[in-house]
Amino acid sequence: MYRCTTYIEITTATGTVKFDYVHALTVQHSIESMTDICTLTLPRNLNLKDKNIRDIISVGDQVSVQLGYDDSNDTVFEGFIRSIKPGTPVVMTCEDTMYILKRIKVPNKHYLSVTLTEFLKEHMPPGMVMNLADVKLGELRIVDEPTLAKVLDRFIDEYTLRFFFRDGVFYGVLPSTYAALTGIETHKLRLSWNTTDDYRLNYVNADDIEVTIKAKAILKDNTKLEVQEPEGKADGDVRTYFSDTATTKDELRAFAQEKLKSYKEERVDGTVTVFGLPYIRVADRVKLFSDRDAEFNEKTFLVKEVKRTFGDGGIRQVITLGVKIS
């Protein structure tokens, strides 16, 4: 029988503390939410270096969390303590490196034309390794000195970009390029065999998704442009977006088509719960096998979200799947 093991390091102002016991932990990773969250529940009377844990740790301390079986652990989270809730037990809430980006102020500036790569190279912390889509942001105004994370939120809304950290690399990608990401693992899961029985999956065909994109732009001479994708269709949900970069109808239509791709995807909605192995991360792919559900069988899907938990019931990974890769 496998033995669940964990190992935690916290780098404090006075040194590094290490321990291999928690009441419970939860790690939430998602392509959609930008910030990964880890919650650690610790015994209040946990003593380290002859001091109580609450007297050693502080908000902003760096955290590394490993989890696995029989001391063969994977690093499931790296980040910083966002808050500490005292009491019995002590609960720490941590954020990944987005914690840093939420504290970087971007000076006010007017860019006549800039790409995503140019902008982030100017404002990201030195030495940050990045894997970025080739996206032209066009004319860009930064006002009110927002945080870098706030600017990234704006890019998500306006350019359909997705941002996340993985293995110390910062990704800024378009949903249409998920299938082209390199260095990503594919895991094979046989439903109800190396997963629990209570999976909730619903197969969605792209042709069944009724959505219309209306895209608008206002040029420097106040000329207004508007296009619709698909043209002449009014069924289903209507989503309206404004483009800051389009200067022609063709550019605006390309913008609308990219937005449409993020909705019109062949995908699977829902979750499947896995034990601690295989170790699955966001942006990985899962190839499903099923003896009873032919629509999932031998199809590969993007892993959109992973909620990892550890406690009295052992290790669980609740996997949210997304677009069909193959």
Side-chain angles (χ1 to χ4, degrees), residues 294-313:
E295 65 269 34
F296 309 134
N297 196 34
E298 297 194 54
K299 292 185 174 69
T300 303
F301 301 93
L302 172 80
V303 176
K304 193 166 62 173
E305 182 177 304
V306 180
K307 182 179 180 182
R308 206 178 312 276
T309 60
F310 169 64
D312 291 340

Side-chain angles (χ1 to χ4, degrees), residues 67-171:
L67 186 63
Y69 294 106
D70 298 329
D71 295 314
S72 180
N73 299 330
D74 294 295
T75 300
V76 298
F77 180 83
E78 291 183 313
F80 302 85
I81 299 175
R82 184 184 72 187
S83 65
I84 304 169
K85 181 180 177 182
T88 306
V90 175
V91 178
M92 297 191 312
T93 301
C94 311
E95 294 184 349
D96 67 353
T97 309
M98 199 59 66
Y99 178 91
I100 299 295
L101 305 192
K102 291 178 179 179
R103 286 153 180 79
I104 295 175
K105 290 287 188 178
V106 179
N108 295 341
K109 189 173 180 179
H110 179 205
Y111 298 86
L112 293 176
S113 180
V114 66
T115 66
L116 178 66
T117 299
E118 291 168 343
F119 180 84
L120 289 180
K121 281 185 175 180
E122 181 178 348
H123 297 291
M124 288 289 273
M128 180 68 71
V129 180
M130 297 183 287
N131 186 330
L132 303 174
D134 183 20
V135 174
K136 295 179 181 179
L137 304 177
E139 186 176 5
L140 178 66
R141 291 182 184 272
I142 303 296
V143 296
D144 298 328
E145 294 188 340
T147 66
L148 183 53
K150 283 286 187 184
V151 178
L152 296 180
D153 276 331
R154 175 180 168 184
F155 293 166
I156 290 171
D157 291 338
E158 296 181 4
Y159 305 99
T160 327
L161 285 158
R162 296 292 182 267
F163 300 103
F164 60 95
F165 285 95
R166 178 185 162 112
D167 294 335
V169 178
F170 179 75
Y171 286 82

Side-chain angles (χ1 to χ4, degrees), residues 255-279:
F255 170 83
Q257 289 170 347
E258 187 64 41
K259 291 288 185 183
L260 186 62
K261 285 180 185 177
S262 67
Y263 291 99
K264 299 277 287 183
E265 299 173 326
E266 189 172 355
R267 67 178 191 270
V268 62
D269 287 340
T271 62
V272 59
T273 300
V274 186
F275 300 102
L277 294 173
Y279 173 54

Side-chain angles (χ1 to χ4, degrees), residues 226-260:
E226 182 173 338
V227 300
Q228 177 179 301
E229 282 290 330
E231 289 187 274
K233 190 176 179 66
D235 295 335
D237 293 335
V238 177
R239 307 296 176 95
T240 301
Y241 292 94
F242 290 84
S243 172
D244 290 335
T245 59
T247 58
T248 66
K249 274 203 167 185
D250 286 344
E251 291 178 353
L252 188 60
R253 188 167 301 285
F255 170 83
Q257 289 170 347
E258 187 64 41
K259 291 288 185 183
L260 186 62

